[in-house]
């Protein structure tokens, strides 16, 4: 159908104007800003690719790759836990007919709360002297298990990941549960009649048929893992201690761009350069994701 | 119909959003930001006092978290969304200098009388001949101890480092945590190093360092690192995960005997536990024939920002802050030493000891807050000692490596220590 | 679906119950501790508060400015969602049903946004807002939230609108209706389920956001609930009784709301977030 010019403008322009000014322009501007050094006040100084040099070869290298490594580690562990446990719990839910509504609601409750608040909550529980976790261990006589969870560089990141899983697991359980329910019951019944036991049913029927959902979730988790910031802020702070063992690209970026006690460099140009790097890692995966859902949509 | 109701709700919400901000733009409000949450009561009293003097004023005091303070102030001043008055840091120091150089702090009005302040205080706020703030407090840091616990185990104030260690040994054997250290907050470890340095290294050594006659690779510096590293067995379990509030609570409730802190903590400890009996001593030197010193510094000043909206009223506040009356209010509420001379100080034994340390035993040379080593990046405090002390305590680097870290960092920009 | 023998059934039931307890117990502990005094929290962590200290809640509400936080969060979220719905649906409708030069390009241009992590562009957004004088303003946040959610909303809505048969519109056109009337009176009611999903997902996203308020809002009176609680934790970090009460105040209403609307909420989030 055709449309009058005036009406076209009314429908299209508001979205396009807002989107272009506040999303596209800033992203492109970041690319340019990364070529400058700028403390936020005063003059911007053009330095070409020096920021990137510092990131890949200079004083910033250690911190950047440390953070990057943590993001990858985060992605791998969290995805395995959330999808693995999520799938297992979803399967268990699938065996129940009664009461599944209640379980679904309880499963999702932690997810209904902003991550930041979940972080503050667990921050109190994880206090080494008076937090409930350690108090419980001590009460049960398991004193040796009462660790300084957020103070030990070997434990801090893992602890944060567990809190993250606690909060998010419900979402994955429900999505996977929906995917499992989508598998035609006839297929399963037929398999039972053929004498298959439960494990075979799961492995050969349910898993392959839910695989596309799982794949989509993995891609989403990749993108989300690189966006981590809130949980680390609330449990540790933007310094990402102890000794940067919980540093991720999000906190590194914030520290570099906006400063704060303990930033090793406060330069918005350098922050923009960090952005460009994160961008080039996440963007291909995002594009893949959009491509996949467009493809799926067209094939329906 | 439903859409109409929805629209109505939206309109109501929009109105409620706009109205409070209109009301808040009251002509009589002066906004102040600080990192010191405990000063809220001070400003209430100031407001009352100024009202008594006939000034129609409301003071809105907003504390900002210590770790975010400098960046929040920086950002908000750049965007002209900052407060009228702000607690500034001191000179020499990178933070204050940058803000002054970019005209984000305004020079003080000539009407404000700073002539009574001691020269050291004035130096901390003067740049290129102009004063940029009214100093508000002097801080004294050192070791604060629980007098009741000390009395219970017949311990006395240590005169040497070894005596301090043996005190700790006695306490530990008896199940008391000798020191509670908030390892998660790197600036506290930084402060710990600095307060030990003025006694153990001594002002003469620090003077040599400042003049380039020695450097951070000096065995004395490495030895201090080692002493602190060895002390950690007397800290509470899991100390790297504890922060400042944990420390305050543990000390106040008598779970630990000593803390490395500053007099500003006293207000908090008394609030938690009014019965607590706190004592103070300067970090003891290495040998009995040396003198102990206290690390004291100008905490900061009250400065006017370029975002000021109520300039006349803000000036009146600054005038008041420069008077002894303000000093009296400040000292008595916070138990901190006011920078204003002539203030009436609280009749508190701990306070008197700390004032004595400030007046008679302050180290003339320092290397942390208020020293030349913090004027540029990488700064000795934030960029070297903060992460470095954490790394050393965690066993990631050795005392020698910490020394090398300092030397490498400071020699990048501090001329006397540059490699020749 | 799957069938299990008797014993396995019981084990599964037990495991699921354990999982539920892990999800719920932390909240119970928050509520319990929020009624105790500081001494009790430190020294008697597992005890039941015999004399509930309701004063904790009063203090937390006042000092934490929880009420203001709720007001601001609601305001920003509601206005943002309304903006998102109107702007995105208009765009999606035009892209879906009308032919004009550059139509496909424009759509692809918009879909780019799905792949872009917007948080990273916060520095230029900050500079932009500073030049517009919108730093430290709720309007600024609303503009950001609307812009950020356009790609996702357009995607979802366009798909839905594609499913509306053209005959309905053609009939309306013959009756003399213009595009705006068709949009308002015919299309919008027909895509109500999709609008609901978009509303829920975007509302929750805006409500939970912490990053943008952290960077843009300095004024306590304009803080969202997430920022307000964060500030509260920073100011009162040693008064655990108040902290627990503050947490309780900021978390429990969300949970209660969720429990009431759980069906729509879960449906919306699981379907919608997949696409996000």
């Amino acid at each position: 159908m055709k449309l009058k010019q005036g009406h076209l403008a009314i429908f299209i322009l508001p979205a396009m104007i807002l989107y272009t000014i506040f999303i596209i322009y800033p992203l492109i501007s970041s690319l340019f800003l990364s070529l400058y050094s700028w403390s936020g006040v005063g003059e911007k100084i053009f330095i070409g690719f020096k920021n990137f040099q510092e990131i890949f070869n200079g004083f910033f290298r250690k911190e950047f790759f440390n953070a990057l490594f943590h993001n990858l580690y985060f992605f791998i562990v969290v995805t395995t836990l959330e999808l693995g446990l999520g799938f297992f719990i979803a399967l268990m839910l699938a065996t129940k007919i009664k009461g599944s509504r209640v379980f679904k609601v309880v499963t999702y409750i932690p997810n209904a709360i902003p991550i930041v608040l979940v972080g503050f909550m667990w921050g109190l529980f994880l206090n080494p002297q008076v937090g409930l976790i350690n108090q419980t261990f001590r009460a049960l006589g398991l004193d040796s298990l009462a660790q300084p969870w957020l103070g030990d560089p070997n434990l801090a990141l893992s602890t944060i990941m567990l809190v993250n899983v606690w909060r998010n697991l419900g979402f994955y359980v429900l999505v996977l549960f929906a995917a499992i329910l989508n598998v035609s019951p006839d297929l399963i019944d037929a398999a039972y009649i053929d004498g298959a036991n439960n494990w075979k049913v799961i492995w050969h029927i349910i898993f392959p048929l839910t695989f596309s959902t799982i794949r989509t979730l993995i891609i989403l988790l990749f993108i989300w893992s690189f966006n981590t910031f809130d949980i680390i802020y609330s449990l540790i702070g933007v310094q990402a201690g102890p000794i940067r063992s919980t540093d991720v690209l999000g906190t590194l970026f914030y520290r570099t761009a906006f400063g704060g006690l303990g930033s090793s460099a406060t330069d918005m140009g350098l922050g923009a350069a960090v952005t460009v790097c994160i961008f080039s890692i996440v963007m291909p995966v995002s594009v893949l994701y959009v491509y996949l859902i467009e493809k799926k949509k067209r094939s329906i | 119909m439903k859409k109409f109701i929805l629209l109505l709700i939206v309109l109501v919400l929009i109105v409620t959003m706009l109205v409070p901000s209109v009301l808040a733009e009251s002509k009589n409000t002066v906004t102040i930001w600080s990192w010191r949450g405990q000063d809220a009561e001070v400003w209430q009293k100031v407001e009352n006092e100024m009202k008594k003097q006939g000034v129609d004023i409301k003071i809105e005091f907003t504390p900002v978290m210590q770790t975010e303070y400098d960046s929040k102030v920086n950002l908000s001043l750049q965007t002209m969304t900052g407060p009228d008055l702000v607690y500034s840091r001191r000179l020499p120091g990178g933070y204050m200098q940058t803000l002054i150089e970019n005209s984000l702090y305004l020079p003080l009005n000539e009407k404000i009388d700073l002539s009574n302040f001691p020269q050291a205080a004035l130096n901390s706020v003067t740049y290129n001949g102009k004063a940029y703030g009214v100093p508000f407090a002097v801080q004294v840091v050192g070791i604060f101890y629980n007098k009741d616990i000390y009395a219970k185990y017949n311990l006395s104030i240590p005169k040497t480092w070894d005596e301090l260690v043996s005190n700790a040994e006695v306490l530990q054997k008896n199940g008391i945590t000798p020191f509670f250290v908030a390892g998660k907050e790197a600036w506290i470890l930084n402060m710990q190093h600095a307060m030990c340095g003025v006694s153990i290294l001594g002002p003469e050594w620090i003077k040599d360092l400042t003049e380039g006659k020695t450097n951070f690779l000096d065995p004395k510096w490495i030895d201090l690192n080692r002493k602190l590293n060895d002390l950690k067995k007397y800290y509470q379990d899991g100390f790297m995960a504890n922060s400042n509030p944990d420390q305050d609570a543990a000390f106040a409730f008598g779970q630990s005997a000593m803390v490395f802190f500053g007099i500003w903590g006293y207000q908090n400890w008394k609030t938690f536990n009014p019965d607590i009996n706190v004592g103070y001593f300067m970090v003891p030197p290495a040998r009995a024939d040396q003198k102990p010193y206290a690390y004291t510094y100008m905490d900061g000043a009250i400065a006017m920002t370029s975002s000021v909206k109520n300039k006349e009223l803000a000036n009146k506040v600054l005038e008041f802050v420069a008077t002894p009356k303000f000093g009296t209010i400040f000292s008595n509420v916070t138990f901190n030493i006011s920078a204003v001379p002539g203030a009436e100080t609280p009749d508190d034994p701990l306070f008197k000891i700390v004032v004595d340390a400030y007046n008679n035993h302050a180290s003339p040379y320092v290397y942390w807050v208020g020293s030349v080593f913090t004027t540029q990046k990488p700064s000795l405090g934030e960029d070297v000692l903060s992460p470095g002390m954490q790394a050393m305590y965690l066993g990631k680097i050795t005392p020698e490596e910490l020394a090398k870290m300092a030397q490498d960092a400071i020699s990048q920009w501090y001329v006397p220590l540059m490699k020749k | 679906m799957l069938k299990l023998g008797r014993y396995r059934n019981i084990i599964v039931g037990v495991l699921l119950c354990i999982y539920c307890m892990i999800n719920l117990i932390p909240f119970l502990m928050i509520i319990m501790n929020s009624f105790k005094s500081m001494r009790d929290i430190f020294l008697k962590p597992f005890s039941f508060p015999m004399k509930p200290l309701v004063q904790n809640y009063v203090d937390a509400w006042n000092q934490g400015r929880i009420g203001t936080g709720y007001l601001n969060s609601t305001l920003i979220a509601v206005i943002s969602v309304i903006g998102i719905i109107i702007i995105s649906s208009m765009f999606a409708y035009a892209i879906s049903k009308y032919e004009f030069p550059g139509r496909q390009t424009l759509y692809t241009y918009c879909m780019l946004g799905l792949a872009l992590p917007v948080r990273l562009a916060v520095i230029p957004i900050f500079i932009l807002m500073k030049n517009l004088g919108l730093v430290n303003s709720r309007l600024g946040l609303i503009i950001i939230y609307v812009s950020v959610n356009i790609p996702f909303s357009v995607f979802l809505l366009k798909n839905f609108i594609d499913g509306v048969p053209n005959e309905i519109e053609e009939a309306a056109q013959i009756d003399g209706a213009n595009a705006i009337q068709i949009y308002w009176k015919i299309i919008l009611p027909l895509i109500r389920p999709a609008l609901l999903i978009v509303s829920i997902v975007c509302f929750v996203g805006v409500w939970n956001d912490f990053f943008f308020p952290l960077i843009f809002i300095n004024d306590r009176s304009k803080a969202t609930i997430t920022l307000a609680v964060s500030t509260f934790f920073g100011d009162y970090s040693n008064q655990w009784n108040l902290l627990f009460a503050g947490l309780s105040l900021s978390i429990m209403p969300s949970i209660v709301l969720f429990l009431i609307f759980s069906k729509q909420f879960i449906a919306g989030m699981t379907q919608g977030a997949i696409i996000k």
Side-chain angles (χ1 to χ4, degrees), chain A residues 39-42 127-129 148-151 153-154 233 235-236 238-239 242-243 254 258-264 266 268, chain B residues 66-68 70-71 74-75 78 95 98 102 104 180 184 187 236-238 240-242 246 377 382-383 387 390-391 394 396:
Chain A
S39 69
V41 263
N127 182 296
Q129 282 84 27
W149 300 102
L150 296 170
N154 300 326
Y233 182 92
L235 281 175
I236 302 261
V238 116
Q239 281 71 277
I243 52 172
Y254 183 87
F258 298 104
L261 218 55
S263 333
S264 41
T266 312
M268 288 197 167
Chain B
Q66 164 68 301
T67 46
E68 309 244 319
D70 299 299
S71 61
N74 203 344
L75 272 183
Q78 283 172 43
Y95 286 121
T98 318
N102 285 293
L104 295 174
F180 196 101
K184 194 172 179 193
W187 66 272
Q236 80 279 14
D237 273 339
M240 286 305 292
N242 287 118
D246 299 333
K377 274 194 172 296
E382 251 177 60
D383 303 310
Q390 281 192 325
L394 284 167
K396 301 280 175 191

XYZ file of all heavy atoms in Angstrom, chain A residues 39-42 127-129 148-151 153-154 233 235-236 238-239 242-243 254 258-264 266 268, chain B residues 66-68 70-71 74-75 78 95 98 102 104 180 184 187 236-238 240-242 246 377 382-383 387 390-391 394 396:
469
model
N 40.644 13.883 29.342
C 40.351 13.582 30.729
C 38.930 13.964 31.116
O 38.538 13.804 32.252
C 41.320 14.335 31.634
O 41.001 15.713 31.548
N 38.180 14.503 30.181
C 36.825 14.902 30.515
C 36.676 16.397 30.639
O 35.609 16.943 30.406
N 37.764 17.070 31.000
C 37.733 18.543 31.001
C 38.843 19.021 30.090
O 39.870 18.372 29.967
C 38.012 19.150 32.393
C 36.741 19.474 33.090
C 38.881 18.269 33.217
N 38.622 20.175 29.501
C 39.690 20.758 28.705
C 39.761 20.194 27.302
O 38.772 19.737 26.733
N 29.696 -11.848 54.091
C 30.680 -11.240 54.974
C 31.387 -12.326 55.775
O 30.738 -13.178 56.362
C 29.968 -10.262 55.909
C 30.921 -9.550 56.834
O 31.571 -10.162 57.675
N 31.015 -8.250 56.693
N 32.731 -12.302 55.800
C 33.439 -13.440 56.396
C 33.208 -13.630 57.887
O 33.229 -14.753 58.358
C 34.920 -13.127 56.117
C 34.976 -11.735 55.663
C 33.643 -11.328 55.191
N 32.965 -12.545 58.625
C 32.778 -12.769 60.060
C 31.312 -12.951 60.434
O 30.978 -13.830 61.202
C 33.333 -11.592 60.876
C 34.823 -11.588 61.021
C 35.473 -10.958 59.817
O 34.878 -10.132 59.168
N 36.689 -11.357 59.511
N 36.970 -16.314 53.358
C 36.679 -14.928 52.968
C 36.304 -14.910 51.493
O 37.123 -14.641 50.625
C 38.011 -14.212 53.202
C 39.052 -15.277 53.055
C 38.411 -16.583 53.420
N 35.040 -15.184 51.222
C 34.621 -15.450 49.859
C 34.989 -14.351 48.880
O 35.425 -14.617 47.770
C 33.104 -15.673 49.823
C 32.725 -16.818 50.671
C 32.175 -16.766 51.919
C 32.926 -18.203 50.389
N 32.012 -18.029 52.415
C 32.457 -18.924 51.498
C 33.450 -18.894 49.306
C 32.489 -20.301 51.549
C 33.480 -20.265 49.362
C 33.007 -20.958 50.474
N 34.775 -13.114 49.294
C 35.021 -12.039 48.340
C 36.389 -11.417 48.538
O 36.730 -10.437 47.906
C 33.933 -10.971 48.468
C 32.547 -11.481 48.113
C 31.504 -10.456 48.492
C 32.466 -11.781 46.635
N 37.163 -11.979 49.465
C 38.466 -11.376 49.731
C 39.612 -12.210 49.208
O 40.735 -11.753 49.123
N 41.505 -13.828 46.243
C 41.493 -13.673 44.785
C 41.157 -14.952 44.039
O 40.678 -14.906 42.913
C 42.913 -13.201 44.452
C 43.694 -13.341 45.682
C 42.783 -13.441 46.841
N 41.389 -16.099 44.687
C 41.053 -17.343 44.007
C 39.582 -17.670 44.074
O 39.069 -18.441 43.281
C 41.836 -18.505 44.627
C 43.332 -18.288 44.520
O 43.804 -17.715 43.557
N 44.061 -18.704 45.533
N 29.828 -4.623 40.624
C 29.752 -3.352 41.323
C 29.194 -3.545 42.720
O 29.700 -3.005 43.691
C 28.871 -2.383 40.542
C 28.780 -1.020 41.166
C 29.660 -0.017 40.783
C 27.843 -0.729 42.150
C 29.597 1.235 41.341
C 27.780 0.515 42.721
C 28.655 1.500 42.311
O 28.593 2.738 42.880
N 28.882 -6.338 44.567
C 29.552 -7.244 45.495
C 30.959 -6.792 45.845
O 31.443 -7.044 46.929
C 29.618 -8.661 44.906
C 28.323 -9.467 45.030
C 28.464 -10.781 44.308
C 28.014 -9.724 46.497
N 31.625 -6.166 44.921
C 33.034 -5.829 45.160
C 33.283 -4.332 45.011
O 34.029 -3.758 45.759
C 33.943 -6.547 44.139
C 33.741 -8.037 44.227
C 35.367 -6.140 44.332
C 34.749 -8.749 45.022
N 33.829 -1.010 42.014
C 34.336 -0.818 40.675
C 35.842 -1.101 40.584
O 36.398 -1.277 39.512
C 33.955 0.606 40.221
C 35.140 1.458 39.982
C 33.041 0.560 39.047
N 36.502 -1.169 41.738
C 37.934 -1.486 41.724
C 38.170 -2.948 41.382
O 39.296 -3.337 41.091
C 38.573 -1.237 43.096
C 38.864 0.203 43.380
C 37.604 0.988 43.605
O 36.956 1.416 42.668
N 37.248 1.158 44.843
N 39.829 -8.482 44.962
C 41.163 -8.096 45.370
C 42.163 -8.237 44.232
O 42.124 -9.207 43.490
C 41.489 -9.082 46.500
C 40.525 -10.183 46.364
C 39.372 -9.734 45.543
N 42.993 -7.233 44.120
C 43.984 -7.150 43.043
C 43.407 -7.574 41.698
O 43.948 -8.429 41.011
C 45.275 -7.920 43.339
C 45.008 -9.367 43.753
C 46.037 -7.215 44.387
C 46.310 -10.146 43.857
N 34.333 1.317 33.038
C 33.779 2.346 33.909
C 34.886 3.074 34.644
O 34.917 4.292 34.741
C 32.817 1.701 34.902
C 32.138 2.692 35.812
C 30.965 3.313 35.432
C 32.680 3.016 37.049
C 30.340 4.230 36.256
C 32.070 3.932 37.879
C 30.892 4.535 37.472
O 30.282 5.444 38.289
N 35.319 6.903 33.907
C 34.748 7.779 34.920
C 35.569 7.863 36.182
O 35.212 8.565 37.108
C 33.330 7.321 35.265
C 32.415 7.399 34.091
C 32.042 6.262 33.409
C 31.936 8.609 33.647
C 31.209 6.328 32.317
C 31.101 8.694 32.551
C 30.732 7.552 31.887
N 36.642 7.144 36.253
C 37.519 7.287 37.398
C 36.968 6.667 38.651
O 36.030 5.914 38.639
N 37.550 7.025 39.740
C 37.189 6.385 40.995
C 38.483 5.972 41.633
O 39.471 5.781 40.962
N 38.459 5.845 42.951
C 39.673 5.515 43.671
C 40.248 4.222 43.111
O 39.579 3.211 43.062
C 39.302 5.316 45.139
C 40.269 5.819 46.176
C 40.579 7.271 45.957
C 39.667 5.623 47.541
N 41.471 4.251 42.689
C 42.090 3.010 42.259
C 42.101 2.790 40.760
O 42.525 1.747 40.300
N 41.632 3.778 39.990
C 41.755 3.559 38.539
C 43.209 3.770 38.163
O 43.842 4.689 38.645
C 40.945 4.574 37.759
O 39.880 5.031 38.493
N 43.704 2.949 37.280
C 45.096 3.155 36.896
C 45.220 4.213 35.817
O 46.277 4.710 35.551
C 45.723 1.848 36.437
O 44.808 1.149 35.657
N 42.631 7.455 34.004
C 41.291 7.978 33.784
C 41.331 8.800 32.528
O 41.772 9.940 32.534
C 40.832 8.847 34.950
O 41.087 8.150 36.142
C 39.366 9.135 34.828
N 38.974 9.351 28.967
C 37.784 8.931 28.234
C 38.131 8.375 26.857
O 37.405 7.529 26.332
C 36.810 10.096 28.127
C 36.165 10.389 29.457
S 34.704 11.395 29.283
C 33.979 11.239 30.887
N 33.067 7.520 49.684
C 34.504 7.832 49.643
C 35.166 7.402 48.328
O 35.898 8.152 47.712
C 35.053 7.111 50.863
C 36.498 6.870 51.029
C 37.409 7.988 51.254
O 37.536 8.908 50.470
N 38.126 7.898 52.345
N 34.881 6.168 47.885
C 35.585 5.658 46.714
C 35.095 6.290 45.419
O 35.740 6.197 44.399
C 35.423 4.141 46.600
O 34.051 3.818 46.822
C 36.250 3.425 47.631
N 33.926 6.917 45.449
C 33.389 7.507 44.217
C 33.473 9.017 44.259
O 33.126 9.683 43.289
C 31.907 7.174 44.086
C 31.573 5.738 44.239
C 31.017 5.205 42.944
O 30.226 5.940 42.335
O 31.383 4.098 42.557
N 35.706 11.529 44.364
C 36.450 12.405 43.453
C 35.900 12.336 42.038
O 35.785 13.360 41.357
C 37.928 12.023 43.479
C 38.505 12.203 44.862
O 38.497 13.341 45.350
O 38.939 11.205 45.471
N 35.547 11.153 41.591
C 35.064 11.086 40.208
C 33.677 11.688 40.075
O 33.360 12.337 39.086
C 35.079 9.648 39.692
O 34.246 8.845 40.475
N 34.174 15.436 40.040
C 34.745 15.780 38.745
C 33.672 15.843 37.653
O 33.495 16.842 36.967
C 35.772 14.698 38.394
C 36.793 15.194 37.410
O 36.595 16.212 36.778
N 37.882 14.471 37.305
N 32.938 14.740 37.516
C 31.914 14.642 36.483
C 30.832 15.702 36.640
O 30.417 16.344 35.681
C 31.246 13.268 36.533
C 31.887 12.163 35.715
C 31.050 10.922 35.826
C 32.007 12.582 34.278
N 32.045 19.221 35.803
C 32.199 19.412 34.353
C 30.885 19.708 33.679
O 30.817 20.433 32.702
C 32.683 18.124 33.697
C 34.112 17.793 33.858
C 34.313 16.410 33.301
O 33.779 16.099 32.245
N 35.039 15.589 34.003
N 44.097 15.842 42.578
C 42.664 16.090 42.416
C 42.350 17.567 42.486
O 41.671 18.126 41.632
C 41.875 15.351 43.495
C 41.807 13.868 43.269
C 42.289 12.978 44.219
C 41.269 13.357 42.093
C 42.232 11.623 44.002
C 41.211 11.992 41.871
C 41.693 11.126 42.830
O 41.634 9.780 42.624
N 43.869 19.756 39.535
C 43.158 19.689 38.252
C 41.902 20.527 38.279
O 41.596 21.259 37.338
C 42.746 18.241 37.942
O 43.810 17.372 38.266
C 42.355 18.095 36.494
N 41.194 23.935 35.993
C 40.104 24.001 35.032
C 38.982 24.908 35.479
O 37.864 24.817 34.963
C 39.579 22.588 34.780
C 40.532 21.807 33.907
O 40.716 22.125 32.750
N 41.166 20.801 34.478
N 37.123 24.932 37.976
C 35.912 24.333 38.521
C 35.738 24.676 39.994
O 34.673 24.507 40.562
C 35.938 22.816 38.303
C 35.896 22.434 36.823
C 36.066 20.933 36.640
C 34.579 22.864 36.191
N 42.458 -5.451 63.660
C 41.442 -5.684 62.642
C 41.799 -4.786 61.469
O 41.883 -3.577 61.617
C 40.044 -5.331 63.162
C 38.944 -5.909 62.320
C 38.274 -7.054 62.724
C 38.581 -5.312 61.117
C 37.260 -7.592 61.953
C 37.570 -5.849 60.338
C 36.903 -6.988 60.765
N 40.024 -5.079 52.268
C 39.340 -4.860 50.995
C 39.494 -3.417 50.541
O 39.470 -3.124 49.355
C 37.863 -5.176 51.188
C 37.077 -5.320 49.924
C 35.695 -5.824 50.278
C 34.840 -5.973 49.050
N 33.434 -6.160 49.378
N 42.870 1.789 50.337
C 43.399 3.059 50.843
C 43.782 2.939 52.322
O 44.669 3.654 52.812
C 42.395 4.197 50.629
C 41.131 4.088 51.404
C 39.997 3.445 51.037
C 40.870 4.632 52.706
N 39.048 3.552 52.015
C 39.554 4.270 53.046
C 41.612 5.378 53.622
C 38.961 4.634 54.257
C 41.022 5.748 54.825
C 39.706 5.364 55.130
N 42.847 -10.384 61.548
C 41.744 -11.343 61.637
C 41.750 -12.235 60.399
O 42.213 -11.854 59.330
C 40.399 -10.621 61.777
C 39.795 -10.083 60.507
C 40.369 -8.750 60.077
O 41.399 -8.313 60.568
N 39.690 -8.098 59.162
N 41.184 -13.424 60.558
C 41.087 -14.361 59.434
C 40.277 -13.736 58.320
O 39.225 -13.162 58.545
C 40.352 -15.640 59.874
C 41.329 -16.631 60.462
O 42.529 -16.520 60.168
O 40.874 -17.504 61.219
N 40.790 -13.919 57.095
C 40.000 -13.426 55.966
C 39.984 -11.917 55.883
O 39.027 -11.333 55.387
N 41.287 -9.838 54.046
C 41.235 -9.187 52.738
C 39.809 -8.972 52.269
O 39.571 -8.275 51.291
C 42.007 -10.017 51.698
C 43.502 -9.939 51.849
S 44.140 -8.258 51.838
C 43.808 -7.780 50.162
N 38.845 -9.596 52.929
C 37.460 -9.433 52.487
C 36.698 -8.414 53.315
O 35.537 -8.153 53.049
C 36.741 -10.776 52.551
N 37.344 -7.837 54.318
C 36.613 -6.918 55.193
C 36.775 -5.481 54.769
O 37.814 -5.050 54.301
C 37.113 -7.061 56.633
C 36.652 -8.338 57.262
O 37.454 -9.165 57.631
N 35.347 -8.499 57.364
N 33.075 -3.000 58.638
C 33.348 -4.187 59.444
C 34.353 -3.847 60.530
O 34.234 -4.283 61.678
C 33.947 -5.311 58.588
C 33.005 -5.754 57.490
O 31.778 -5.611 57.659
O 33.500 -6.249 56.470
N 50.190 11.192 38.239
C 50.025 9.741 38.127
C 51.263 9.151 37.482
O 51.835 9.769 36.596
C 48.801 9.427 37.279
C 47.541 9.400 38.093
C 46.425 8.761 37.275
C 45.174 8.516 38.065
N 45.270 7.584 39.161
N 47.593 5.960 45.535
C 46.568 5.193 44.826
C 47.102 4.140 43.893
O 46.522 3.082 43.738
C 45.780 6.162 43.960
C 44.412 6.413 44.452
C 43.750 7.432 43.578
O 43.623 7.170 42.375
O 43.417 8.485 44.134
N 48.186 4.482 43.189
C 48.598 3.582 42.121
C 49.674 2.603 42.536
O 49.894 1.617 41.856
C 49.074 4.398 40.920
C 48.005 5.350 40.446
O 46.877 4.878 40.249
O 48.277 6.551 40.298
N 47.254 -0.824 45.440
C 47.247 -2.188 44.905
C 48.428 -3.008 45.398
O 48.317 -4.219 45.591
C 47.337 -1.978 43.381
C 47.863 -0.613 43.194
C 47.521 0.183 44.393
N 47.936 -4.633 48.813
C 47.019 -5.766 48.697
C 47.730 -6.968 48.104
O 47.588 -8.090 48.568
C 45.815 -5.383 47.829
C 44.794 -4.582 48.571
C 43.485 -4.450 47.803
O 43.483 -4.360 46.584
N 42.387 -4.424 48.509
N 48.493 -6.693 47.034
C 49.184 -7.812 46.380
C 50.186 -8.464 47.325
O 50.314 -9.685 47.363
C 49.879 -7.311 45.120
N 48.526 -10.558 49.900
C 47.996 -11.787 49.323
C 49.098 -12.715 48.887
O 48.837 -13.788 48.365
C 47.097 -11.460 48.124
C 45.733 -10.924 48.505
C 45.038 -10.338 47.298
C 44.878 -12.025 49.088
N 51.204 -12.187 46.501
C 51.466 -12.182 45.067
C 52.791 -11.515 44.733
O 53.395 -11.795 43.701
C 50.346 -11.432 44.326
C 48.986 -12.002 44.528
C 48.741 -13.205 43.646
C 47.391 -13.807 43.973
N 47.144 -15.082 43.387
